[in-house]
């Protein structure tokens, strides 16, 4: 996620990537970020339960929102809203997730990317 944020221009120059990484990991572990595809399969460990994530202000000082990214985020939010109104079970991420590896391969992603996707799917089940 951190590498993707950097490629999208969402990280300020000199950002402490470890702070961003810890915040993202904590958001997934605690369920703040979730999708039907990323259902938690296990209970949190004592260490995970007691983990103190970076503060919101500490994280936010490293983030920025380029105008193109804001436009895409707004469009996705609107599509998600319309989809949810039409179908209560609709989830944008679930609808597009299967197409991403195929698109990545068409754009020149290598065998390492494909192997990583197979590994992720294997570990998910």
């Amino acid at each position: 996620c951190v590498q993707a944020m950097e490629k999208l221009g969402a990280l300020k120059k000199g950002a402490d990537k470890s702070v961003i990484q810890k915040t993202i990991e904590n958001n997934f572990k605690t369920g703040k970020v979730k999708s039907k595809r990323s259902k938690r399969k296990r209970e949190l460990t004592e260490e995970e339960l007691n983990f103190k994530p970076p503060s919101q202000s500490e994280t936010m000082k490293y983030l920025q929102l380029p105008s193109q990214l804001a436009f895409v985020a707004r469009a996705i939010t609107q599509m998600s809203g319309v989809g949810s109104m039409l179908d209560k079970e609709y989830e944008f991420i679930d609808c597009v997730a299967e197409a991403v590896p195929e698109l990545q391969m068409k754009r020149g992603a290598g065998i390492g990317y494909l192997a990583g996707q197979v590994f992720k799917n294997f570990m998910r089940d």
Side-chain angles (χ1 to χ4, degrees), residues 1-11 69:
C1 286
V2 176
Q3 290 174 344
M5 291 175 77
E6 188 171 33
K7 285 181 181 179
L8 291 169
L11 296 181
L69 185 56

Side-chain angles (χ1 to χ4, degrees), residues 16-120:
D16 185 346
K17 295 176 190 168
S18 67
V19 170
I20 305 298
Q21 182 70 33
K22 288 175 187 173
T23 302
I24 292 169
E25 287 175 4
N26 187 65
N27 288 344
F28 275 102
K29 286 178 186 172
T30 60
K32 287 182 182 177
V33 176
K34 59 185 172 185
S35 74
K36 291 176 185 175
R37 291 186 162 265
S38 64
K39 289 180 182 172
R40 192 174 347 157
K41 303 283 188 206
R42 62 175 178 81
E43 293 296 319
L44 295 177
T45 64
E46 189 70 29
E47 182 179 336
E48 290 171 328
L49 287 170
N50 294 326
F51 175 72
K52 186 79 170 153
S55 68
Q56 185 174 358
S57 62
E58 185 180 2
T59 303
M60 294 304 291
K61 69 183 179 185
Y62 298 121
L63 301 177
Q64 60 188 7
L65 188 59
S67 59
Q68 294 100 339
L69 185 56
F71 177 76
V72 170
R74 182 172 182 235
I76 289 171
T77 301
Q78 289 176 333
M79 286 189 298
S80 183
V82 170
S84 296
M85 286 174 28
L86 296 173
D87 180 359
K88 298 290 183 206
E89 297 295 315
Y90 176 81
E91 188 172 322
F92 180 78
I93 292 173
D94 202 40
C95 291
V96 300
E98 292 180 12
V100 171
E102 181 180 340
L103 290 171
Q104 290 288 69
M105 293 304 287
K106 284 181 180 177
R107 291 182 176 178
I111 193 72
Y113 172 80
L114 187 60
Q117 293 302 305
V118 170
F119 182 74
K120 279 183 192 177

